[in-house]
Amino acid sequence: MLSNEIPPTDLEKAGATVGIADNSRSSLEKGTFEFSSTPAEPTHIPVPTAFQRWNDRIESLAGLEARGIVRVLPEERQRPSALGYAQMAMVWFGANVVANNLAVGLLGPLLFELGFVDSAMMAVFGSIVGALPTAYMSVWGAQSGNRTMICARYFMGYWPAKLTCLLNIILMFGFATIACIISGQILSAVSGGSMTIIVGIVIVALISWLVAVFGMRLFHTYERYSWIPQVIVLFILLGSGGRHFNTALQSQAGSAATTAGRLSFFCLCMSVPLSWAAAASDFYVYYPESTNKPLTFLMTFTGLTLSFVLVTMVGVGLGSGVSTYQPWSDANDISPGALILAGFGDLGGFGKFCGVVVALGVISNNVPGTYAAALGCQVLGRYFKAVPRYLWVCVIAMIYFVCAIAGRDHLFTIFQNFLALVGYWIIIFVSIVLEEHVIFRRGVGFDWTRWEDQKYLPLGIAALSAFLIGWAGAIIGMDQAWFVGPVASKVGDNTGADIGIWLGASFTLVVFPPLRYLELKKFGR
């Protein structure tokens, strides 16, 4: 199955002497993901014979997706169907109606000292606003047949796109780490502390690895049904613990500090759904080119919004009850995971079973992140691309497993600092994509077949410059434990608030159009 043929447009593999095939089994039928044994157009380079045989044996496993970042050709796509559109919403709903996103809601009352109404409003509207960029980025998958970080080359340029790709890999590592920690905390609390957090981390990382290794078909099947038990136990939690929600809780700080807290919590809640924007196209590449773009946007937006609004509101309720209900306060002193389990406290053994369901639910959040990160690794360079996707999944799962063990006692700190940093670079990236699309590509379009043709893709000078300038705006507007920007420190009567997302986006939106105009005038692409 391996070949010595190297396409002339494959910039990074040309001249290479080692590597491995990027095969594909992707004939899709009846709106479901069924992979055949027909390979895609070859992009192979020579490999040692023993490794070749071993790789062919692995990739021949039934249901395993061998394709990496090679474009999915129109004739390899699935047929359009109503189920396909419904699947879009189910993928995003299933991936995000999980415990680690529930824990974000806890931060409103517990970290920012906001009242119930303030926290709820910021959680709802932050989720809605954060879902918009991700829904926009999702439309490129079916249209192009390319993964999100391959599409980034058409906006950022061939080489600068590697920077956004690296940042996205780090992002997916971070969220997988958070998911493993929160799951481990819940499972440890279920056992009464007899089982360490590490055991829970091992369980979640192992199952996430297994599903992500097999790829798109198993992933879509898993996400189609994973949300059902999660929604059931969340409503059980509302029925069991809802009476302890302190809906009368008021914001604790003064008016200026409360305003700053609202802004910071809003940006935090916005950052979580926004974080999927750099991977949104990855899961739609097997949809036909004729896929309706407005409907794709709507279904993605619906799945994201409904899931985040539901879980963050439950989190806000749990956080509000800590101030008035002693068992929840005691649980919160142990860990956020223990607090989530305490929400089922009145149900005895059945409550512990519900806690296990919630803990294992984070797998549906880990799988798409692991999958996207593995593809991102292949975008980084010719030697990275030479490694099969399933091997990258193994490496990534091992790394976030180690990171979760190392950071298991610092979950809130990771939440507060990591999630905000996520929002900074992604909003800058989406701003560049939006302006390139609307201002410079309207009526021109893209040749999606030339995804590795450096002579066709933008140089990226304008995009990289705007990206860095946007980061400068984010830095002066960030409010983190380790750094407070000069502009951020002036918000709320000098109490400080995180406005890095807004300044980053504003700087980028202002400087990119003139820079891109000059780049086009000078270089023509």
Side-chain angles (χ1 to χ4, degrees):
M1 293 179 65
L2 297 181
S3 166
N4 290 340
E5 180 181 351
I6 304 174
T9 56
D10 189 340
L11 300 174
E12 294 182 335
K13 285 187 177 179
T17 58
V18 294
I20 197 163
D22 193 358
N23 301 325
S24 171
R25 301 189 295 278
S26 57
S27 176
L28 298 167
E29 302 174 354
K30 300 179 182 178
T32 59
F33 291 82
E34 299 180 4
F35 295 85
S36 72
S37 58
T38 304
E41 221 172 293
T43 58
H44 315 320
I45 51 180
V47 296
T49 303
F51 188 51
Q52 171 183 315
R53 289 198 302 267
W54 175 78
N55 180 69
D56 288 347
R57 190 175 296 115
I58 294 295
E59 292 187 345
S60 67
L61 292 175
L64 187 139
E65 181 189 12
R67 182 186 295 274
I69 60 173
V70 171
R71 179 175 182 257
V72 182
L73 301 177
E75 58 269 24
E76 297 177 311
R77 317 281 185 88
Q78 70 181 46
R79 298 187 183 97
S81 67
L83 176 60
Y85 287 111
Q87 178 70 12
M88 292 178 177
M90 286 189 286
V91 162
W92 294 109
F93 187 82
N96 292 293
V97 62
V98 291
N100 44 317
N101 293 329
L102 187 154
V104 175
L106 300 175
L107 301 178
L110 300 181
L111 182 64
F112 296 100
E113 299 183 339
L114 296 176
F116 181 87
V117 174
D118 282 339
S119 296
M121 294 290 286
M122 297 306 102
V124 170
F125 288 104
S127 298
I128 292 172
V129 175
L132 290 171
T134 300
Y136 166 67
M137 290 299 298
S138 71
V139 304
W140 299 110
Q143 186 176 350
S144 69
N146 288 318
R147 314 291 183 166
T148 315
M149 288 295 102
I150 293 295
C151 292
R153 293 176 175 178
Y154 289 82
F155 304 101
M156 294 291 298
Y158 188 89
W159 298 105
K162 296 181 188 297
L163 173 60
T164 57
C165 183
L166 179 60
L167 290 171
N168 191 51
I169 293 169
I170 296 172
L171 160 66
M172 295 305 166
F173 278 142
F175 273 105
T177 299
I178 290 171
C180 287
I181 292 174
I182 196 72
S183 179
Q185 289 179 345
I186 296 173
L187 292 175
S188 177
V190 167
S191 70
S194 61
M195 184 179 78
T196 68
I197 294 175
I198 295 176
V199 175
I201 292 173
V202 170
I203 294 172
V204 171
L206 186 62
I207 301 176
S208 301
W209 163 79
L210 181 63
V211 177
V213 158
F214 275 85
M216 191 68 77
R217 180 184 179 186
L218 183 57
F219 159 69
H220 273 273
T221 301
Y222 187 87
E223 299 293 346
R224 187 178 301 160
Y225 304 106
S226 65
W227 60 271
I228 298 174
Q230 295 304 305
V231 170
I232 291 173
V233 296
L234 283 176
F235 277 101
I236 290 173
L237 191 155
L238 287 171
S240 170
R243 60 197 177 95
H244 300 301
F245 290 4
N246 183 9
T247 57
L249 180 68
Q250 299 296 312
S251 299
Q252 300 300 308
S255 59
T258 297
T259 300
R262 289 171 183 157
L263 182 57
S264 294
F265 186 52
F266 176 91
C267 291
L268 196 65
C269 293
M270 172 184 167
S271 294
V272 189
L274 173 63
S275 66
W276 286 113
S281 297
D282 292 2
F283 315 115
Y284 297 161
V285 294
Y286 292 106
Y287 283 80
E289 291 180 305
S290 60
T291 300
N292 186 284
K293 288 189 285 186
L295 191 54
T296 299
F297 178 96
L298 178 62
M299 298 306 289
T300 303
F301 176 77
T302 299
L304 285 166
T305 301
L306 290 179
S307 58
F308 278 104
V309 167
L310 173 60
V311 294
T312 53
M313 282 297 296
V314 173
V316 166
L318 283 173
S320 69
V322 169
S323 61
T324 54
Y325 188 51
Q326 191 60 42
W328 287 8
S329 178
D330 295 339
N332 184 56
D333 290 338
I334 299 172
S335 71
L339 174 57
I340 294 173
L341 179 65
F344 300 102
D346 295 339
L347 301 179
F350 179 69
K352 291 185 176 181
F353 170 76
C354 291
V356 173
V357 174
V358 170
L360 296 180
V362 304
I363 294 167
S364 63
N365 186 265
N366 264 13
V367 171
T370 305
Y371 180 88
L375 293 170
C377 289
Q378 291 189 322
V379 179
L380 291 177
R382 65 177 182 270
Y383 295 110
F384 294 91
K385 182 181 176 183
V387 178
R389 181 196 61 81
Y390 64 85
L391 283 182
W392 279 122
V393 169
C394 298
V395 172
I396 289 162
M398 181 59 67
I399 292 175
Y400 66 65
F401 165 71
V402 173
C403 290
I405 291 176
R408 63 188 183 277
D409 296 324
H410 308 285
L411 181 62
F412 270 8
T413 302
I414 296 173
F415 262 126
Q416 184 182 9
N417 296 310
F418 173 74
L419 294 184
L421 289 175
V422 165
Y424 299 153
W425 81 263
I426 290 189
I427 199 65
I428 294 169
F429 167 64
V430 174
S431 298
I432 292 172
V433 172
L434 180 64
E435 289 193 322
E436 176 72 16
H437 174 211
V438 173
I439 299 175
F440 299 102
R441 294 285 185 158
R442 180 176 294 276
V444 178
F446 304 89
D447 184 352
W448 298 112
T449 66
R450 304 177 71 178
W451 58 280
E452 286 196 305
D453 186 353
Q454 190 178 8
K455 293 182 179 179
Y456 170 77
L457 297 169
L459 286 176
I461 297 174
L464 180 60
S465 300
F467 189 84
L468 296 176
I469 292 171
W471 257 109
I475 290 171
I476 64 174
M478 68 169 57
D479 181 14
Q480 302 298 321
W482 41 269
F483 180 78
V484 178
V487 176
S489 64
K490 304 300 181 184
V491 180
D493 289 344
N494 298 323
T495 57
D498 195 336
I499 56 174
I501 284 181
W502 309 111
L503 290 184
S506 300
F507 279 36
T508 305
L509 291 169
V510 170
V511 302
F512 179 70
L515 290 174
R516 182 63 172 139
Y517 172 79
L518 292 174
E519 183 179 42
L520 287 170
K521 185 176 181 180
K522 175 68 174 177
F523 302 104
R525 59 184 175 93

